[in-house]
Amino acid sequence: MAKEYDLVILGGGTGGYVAAIRASQLGMQVAVVENGELGGTCLHRGCIPSKAFLRSAEVFRQTKEADSYGIITKETTLNFAKVQERKESIVNTLHQGVQALMKKGKIDVFKGFGRILGPSIFSPMPGTISIEYENGDENTMIVPKNVLIATGSKPRTLPGLELDGNLVMSSGEALKMEELPSSIIIVGGGVIGIEWASMLADFGVEVTVIEYMNQILPTEDGAVAREVEKQLKKKGVTFVKQAKVLPETLKKENNVTILAEIDGNNETFKADKMLVSVGREANSANIGLDNTEILTEKGYIQTNEYYQTKESHIYAIGDVIGGMQLAHVASHEGITAVEHIANEKPLPINYGNIPSCIYSNPEAASVGLTEKQAKEKGFDIKVGKFPFKAIGKALVYGESDGFVKIIADKKNEDLLGIHMVGPHVTDMISEAGLAMVLDATPWEISGTIHPHPTLSEVMGEAALAVEGKQIHG
Ligand code: NAD
């Protein structure tokens, strides 16, 4: 008789595999169906490999600046093949780790494409999973008690601006480049566009970012976005904002040429390659949603706060449901969904407390509302801002641009948002996240003793600055 599963998870990315581990801890018989590799976009085409590249770019830049630290080096040259090799080795190590975790949790992994079937001879309810194999082997049928859809997302492009993986690339494709171009046009100055602009500029590539809005990183606080732009300009990145790329004008030979409309005029842009980073779209087609009552909006699966779809035994989490398309969001949603299945009564996630990070140089990180959002919501706010240049450790470290900005509610001292730009802020944002979760006030942050000398002192000073009581500024 076929093995019985409490839960089958479609997709073994960060959302899916973390949910599988939690389900196994809760005593469920679990299977993961994954068409590609365990670890998904984050491990193979996103967070991890791009951060490995960013780290190489940082070391390259810092080595070139070594004499400012009193270190004399010979000529610094880049071996991009080695950069690729290092990235692959990190990805492989982590990939092996995920596979070992699946074994440890006795989680069955099916390497195939999973599709949800409607009511059939297997079950009167939709939710039977048919697994199709690339090699043409006969499909496997599983009738689980519950299903979790964690199929993620894929890069979106502009109509007419087809990705070809070589001259016009998504970020996943760019990660496979064997050599660096000498120039690149990046369409979209969001998170991916800015991380790549920073990395490629540090590697010595001539970068032009074309952004549709009047602010790069449109979802970040305006002051942070302006600081990132200022620092990237110093590296030589060119920004063209409020510009509409005209896909029909794309010309590809040994390089790419395209027109963009700026203020009613068309301007020509030319580079060796183009990276398109204009957002992502849900992987919800072809997975059998038509065989169910599950609702979607613009391809994103609709769920309640416990990630149940309209079919209450079928859950969905991560990028495929939209919202904050971040790996740590997907994994927490996965844990919540699985705990709900197991009747553990999890608390719904408070999306206002989720930190987001941008790993460019300078790094940026935030949690909660931007100043503009807080004002739009009608809050009477007070703001404390403190620069890294007054923090001893930042000078010692050699990176003292940037600041921390804390936005609080004048009425009751509630924290509304914390925004950071500068050295190591993607690590420091967790303190801000904890402060939000614990419903702390600026007074409690400044009362938390930040050791000296550390970069984290900037948090204490920014919290004091909310009351105009900062010490070093
Ligand atoms: P994004 O939504 O962050 O940015 C897309 C950008 O493209 C926006 O600035 C938008 O205004 C611009 N844009 C849209 N249409 C355009 C057009 N026609 N011409 C010019 N610009 C245009 O999307 P992304 O950068 O592609 O990232 C995709 C997802 O992946 C995001 O949800 C992001 O949060 C996630 N991600 C996160 C991280 C991280 O956490 N560090 C890193 C990479 C990706």
Side-chain angles (χ1 to χ4, degrees):
M1 196 178 138
K3 190 166 169 184
E4 291 194 353
Y5 288 99
D6 298 303
L7 176 65
V8 169
I9 301 176
L10 295 188
T14 312
Y17 88 72
V18 170
I21 293 170
R22 186 74 187 109
S24 148
Q25 288 169 345
L26 290 166
M28 294 185 207
Q29 287 288 343
V30 193
V32 172
V33 184
E34 170 58 59
N35 199 29
E37 303 291 350
L38 283 175
T41 299
C42 175
L43 178 51
H44 299 277
R45 295 174 297 283
C47 328
I48 297 296
S50 64
K51 265 81 256 175
F53 270 14
L54 275 156
R55 174 71 179 134
S56 286
E58 179 181 43
V59 172
F60 185 51
R61 172 176 46 80
Q62 287 182 336
T63 311
K64 284 192 289 185
E65 293 166 356
D67 66 340
S68 68
Y69 296 81
I71 315 289
I72 308 306
T73 55
K74 290 197 185 136
E75 197 196 352
T76 309
T77 51
L78 183 67
N79 179 346
F80 192 64
K82 197 83 197 285
V83 172
Q84 275 286 12
E85 212 177 288
R86 177 175 185 274
K87 174 207 82 179
E88 285 301 313
S89 151
I90 294 166
V91 170
N92 286 339
T93 304
L94 292 171
H95 186 209
Q96 280 165 22
V98 177
Q99 292 173 70
L101 289 171
M102 295 298 101
K103 280 211 180 93
K104 184 177 165 214
K106 300 194 170 42
I107 296 158
D108 291 336
V109 179
F110 292 87
K111 192 164 168 42
F113 189 89
R115 203 183 303 274
I116 303 171
L117 302 184
S120 65
I121 50 163
F122 303 106
S123 165
M125 290 205 307
T128 297
I129 302 296
S130 160
I131 306 170
E132 297 156 21
Y133 301 99
E134 234 171 44
N135 64 7
D137 278 2
E138 197 183 323
N139 291 6
T140 304
M141 294 289 175
I142 310 178
V143 189
K145 291 193 185 118
N146 297 281
V147 176
L148 176 65
I149 304 171
T151 47
S153 64
K154 57 174 182 283
R156 159 179 112 74
T157 185
L158 303 175
L161 203 63
E162 269 71 48
L163 304 172
D164 60 29
N166 175 28
L167 288 174
V168 182
M169 305 176 289
S170 67
S171 54
E173 290 162 343
L175 283 164
K176 294 190 212 133
M177 282 188 291
E178 283 172 14
E179 50 188 57
L180 288 170
S182 57
S183 58
I184 194 160
I185 296 166
I186 298 181
V187 181
V191 181
I192 294 182
I194 291 308
E195 288 185 355
W196 277 85
S198 168
M199 170 217 300
L200 291 173
D202 278 348
F203 277 142
V205 177
E206 192 186 318
V207 180
T208 304
V209 176
I210 305 182
E211 165 58 45
Y212 189 68
M213 308 289 280
N214 64 358
Q215 175 183 316
I216 61 159
L217 302 172
T219 54
E220 293 302 313
D221 190 86
V224 168
R226 282 191 295 278
E227 179 67 23
V228 172
E229 183 176 339
K230 187 171 121 195
Q231 297 308 323
L232 293 191
K233 274 184 179 160
K234 280 193 201 160
K235 291 181 196 286
V237 177
T238 303
F239 289 96
V240 188
K241 294 184 289 184
Q242 284 181 293
K244 190 173 167 215
V245 162
L246 303 171
E248 65 281 7
T249 65
L250 176 72
K251 284 202 191 97
K252 296 196 279 188
E253 281 161 22
N254 289 329
N255 48 28
V256 286
T257 311
I258 199 159
L259 293 182
E261 191 189 314
I262 306 150
D263 266 347
N265 299 317
N266 290 351
E267 204 177 305
T268 306
F269 295 90
K270 188 175 178 185
D272 283 358
K273 291 195 187 266
M274 179 183 283
L275 172 71
V276 183
S277 47
V278 294
R280 300 179 67 85
E281 60 189 61
N283 285 331
S284 59
N286 302 324
I287 57 170
L289 297 184
D290 292 352
N291 302 325
T292 71
E293 296 285 307
I294 293 174
L295 299 175
T296 60
E297 204 185 316
K298 293 185 180 157
Y300 292 109
I301 297 175
Q302 305 293 292
T303 71
N304 66 13
E305 60 192 348
Y306 299 110
Y307 309 106
Q308 276 172 304
T309 66
K310 194 136 184 263
E311 305 278 1
S312 59
H313 61 300
I314 304 182
Y315 290 66
I317 55 123
D319 282 12
V320 77
I321 66 168
M324 295 173 95
Q325 294 181 303
L326 301 171
H328 48 285
V329 173
S331 53
H332 276 263
E333 289 173 347
I335 288 170
T336 305
V338 162
E339 290 182 347
H340 190 257
I341 293 170
N343 246 329
E344 293 272 307
K345 304 197 173 26
L347 288 176
I349 292 174
N350 178 347
Y351 286 84
N353 288 343
I354 296 175
S356 59
C357 297
I358 302 161
Y359 299 84
S360 48
N361 172 262
E363 292 186 349
S366 63
V367 57
L369 302 176
T370 63
E371 185 170 339
K372 187 162 169 255
Q373 287 166 340
K375 284 180 179 160
E376 279 167 3
K377 283 184 182 280
F379 287 105
D380 191 9
I381 61 168
K382 46 186 179 179
V383 176
K385 197 172 162 203
F386 199 84
F388 275 104
K389 68 174 186 298
I391 299 293
K393 182 73 181 287
L395 298 183
V396 169
Y397 189 69
E399 287 188 24
S400 52
D401 288 318
F403 55 83
V404 166
K405 173 173 169 180
I406 297 181
I407 302 164
D409 187 344
K410 245 188 204 165
K411 220 188 284 170
N412 55 15
E413 303 293 315
D414 273 356
L415 290 170
L416 298 173
I418 303 181
H419 305 271
M420 308 179 168
V421 53
H424 290 285
V425 296
T426 60
D427 292 309
M428 290 202 322
I429 195 67
S430 295
E431 179 185 356
L434 182 65
M436 298 284 281
V437 169
L438 296 180
D439 218 1
T441 61
W443 178 79
E444 283 160 317
I445 295 177
S446 63
T448 304
I449 296 177
H450 294 87
H452 178 75
T454 62
L455 294 172
S456 72
E457 289 174 90
V458 72
M459 264 297 273
E461 289 275 24
L464 285 171
V466 174
E467 300 300 340
K469 291 182 186 159
Q470 66 275 22
I471 303 292
H472 294 93

